[in-house]
Amino acid sequence: MFDTSFSSRIVLLTGATSGIGYETARQLAECGATVLLHRRTAEEVQAAADKLVATAGLDANRLCTYAADFTRLDEVETLAREVVAGSKAGQR
């Protein structure tokens, strides 16, 4: 899918637990990107990360999970602070 290495890239994907978002996360991680997976609940996003590791053989260190309900401004603000601070980079 991608022509270049993404090894130095960090990519935040919203809706990364199914469909196009999930497939995009898989392909970016396979190309070396650190992928920040987002979904509304922690359970959904963790399940997607676990599935990517189990079925696609991705390195768990390339996936970080974030949960936030975008209809709740406080959760959006917390997510933004965590991503900018890099507080979870490299963690699952």
Side-chain angles (χ1 to χ4, degrees), residues 28-67:
L28 285 167
E30 285 177 347
C31 289
T34 296
V35 181
L36 312 181
L37 304 167
H38 164 265
R39 188 64 180 169
R40 185 175 297 176
T41 69
E43 295 80 14
E44 289 174 315
V45 74
Q46 188 59 56
D50 292 344
K51 182 178 175 185
L52 284 166
V53 170
T55 62
L58 298 179
D59 179 355
N61 292 322
R62 293 231 170 260
L63 304 173
C64 303
T65 60
Y66 291 88

Side-chain angles (χ1 to χ4, degrees), residues 4 8 11 13 16 35 38 46-47 49 61-62 68 72 78 83-84:
T4 100
S8 63
V11 180
L13 285 172
V35 181
H38 164 265
Q46 188 59 56
N61 292 322
R62 293 231 170 260
R72 297 183 48 129
T78 298
V83 169
V84 169

